[in-house]
Amino acid sequence: MSSLTHFDAQGQAHMVDVAAKPATHRVAVATGRIEMQPATLALIESGTAKKGDVLGIARIAGIQAAKKTSDLIPLCHPLALTRVALAFALAEKSNAPQVVCTATVETVGPTGVEMEALTAVQVALLTIYDMCKAVDRGMRITDVHVLEKHGGKSGSYLAAP
């Protein structure tokens, strides 16, 4: 296992120097889900939640979050993102009804976009919670992780199924 890159030789936290790294096309896909009561999922699906279009607002929140990741995570580089896309899937087939969020983030640059994809998913799911908490305070955000990443020196990563 390689050493942690966000610490210098003296053990001090620092922003990684990416100046010498070539700009490559980079993509990251992250996912996560929020579990809820069946009635909460029905509200989201019907578009009749008191605060409006839950998934539409969550999509915009996730896009904004990806763009602001370096403001939230202290050692992340500010990146010129070329694409941020969020998709939602509503599922009733498991133990708990849920909304699954998948974020795809792209850039052409010297560092990856995994943090931006993870941040987009988390904030989108938090937005769903915020918009639905009046009817369901027991919602649970879970399973947030990187599904895949491509580009850069380390190449591609695909999460195990």
Side-chain angles (χ1 to χ4, degrees):
M1 185 170 192
S2 62
S3 63
L4 298 175
T5 58
H6 287 89
F7 295 97
D8 64 19
Q10 292 75 39
Q12 302 295 311
H14 73 105
M15 184 181 239
V16 176
D17 183 358
V18 297
K21 293 174 71 177
T24 61
H25 180 231
R26 300 180 183 247
V27 180
V29 181
T31 191
R33 62 191 169 101
I34 184 168
E35 298 172 346
M36 61 195 62
Q37 299 283 331
T40 309
L41 185 64
L43 275 174
I44 292 170
E45 197 167 23
S46 70
T48 58
K50 186 176 181 180
K51 292 184 178 182
D53 177 11
V54 173
L55 299 182
I57 301 299
R59 178 175 288 107
I60 297 300
I63 292 167
Q64 285 182 320
K67 294 174 3 179
K68 294 290 190 179
T69 299
S70 66
D71 291 340
L72 301 169
I73 311 295
L75 301 178
C76 279
H77 293 84
L79 301 176
L81 302 179
T82 58
R83 178 174 178 244
V84 179
L86 277 81
F88 297 97
L90 285 61
E92 297 182 43
K93 60 187 175 216
S94 64
N95 300 1
Q98 59 191 266
V99 176
V100 176
C101 175
T102 303
T104 302
V105 179
E106 297 185 41
T107 192
V108 175
T111 190
V113 288
E114 298 95 313
M115 295 306 299
E116 288 73 12
L118 288 165
T119 301
V121 167
Q122 289 280 31
V123 170
L125 295 175
L126 286 167
T127 300
I128 293 170
Y129 185 94
D130 179 52
M131 294 187 73
C132 298
K133 68 182 181 235
V135 296
D136 188 355
R137 293 206 183 269
M139 291 176 285
R140 189 175 111 146
I141 295 171
T142 186
D143 295 333
V144 177
H145 63 281
V146 173
L147 286 174
E148 60 185 88
K149 71 144 284 255
H150 305 282
K153 184 174 78 174
S154 62
S156 292
Y157 164 81
L158 296 172

